[in-house]
Amino acid sequence: TLTISDDLAFSPVLFLNQVTVSEIGVATGSATNEFEIAIYSSDSNLIPSTRLHAAATITPSGSGVHTAAIPGGNITLDANTRYYIGITNTGNGSNAVVRSYSGGGTIGKVSSALNRQSLHIFSGTVNSLPATVTSTDVNELFLCAMACFVEA
């Protein structure tokens, strides 16, 4: 599992075909606190860049896959373009725990550390997803949230 505690986690996503998405979500192993989730584009360095829609709020009632409609309606994601799912807990100190995986390969370096497959921002007190992210904001993270999409 991946515990998100007053910081932001970003999991990479790549589609082989163009897809129109109506919902996004993640899997939880048990009941967890409310969290926000959104899709981000990536910049030329393949780092999360711009949030593509208002953040959706999910309040899981137990284990399983939890999804929310994309605020503002469906969004089309291009083939062979890296996107990120951004997730953060919404209450200060109220951890969100989502299922994760740790064997999916690497996404590249953002520092001198080992390659990792997801990114995060350790902020300490941020409980909402920012509109934009810069490469100086992010660090490497080993665990990657298991994201899901519902095609429109």
Side-chain angles (χ1 to χ4, degrees), residues 13-52:
V13 180
L14 182 73
F15 294 97
L16 299 179
N17 298 299
Q18 185 181 64
V19 63
T20 300
V21 175
S22 63
E23 298 178 37
I24 55 173
V26 294
T28 63
S30 60
T32 190
N33 292 307
E34 181 179 274
F35 56 89
E36 284 187 347
I37 187 167
I39 303 170
Y40 284 78
S41 63
S42 61
D43 65 14
S44 60
N45 295 315
L46 303 178
I47 301 298
S49 177
T50 304
R51 195 180 64 219
L52 299 179

Side-chain angles (χ1 to χ4, degrees), residues 102 105-119 140-142:
S102 61
T106 60
I107 62 165
K109 292 184 177 184
V110 293
S111 68
S112 60
L114 295 174
N115 290 348
R116 296 295 185 215
Q117 62 191 21
S118 61
L119 302 169
E140 293 147 341
L141 180 66
F142 186 65

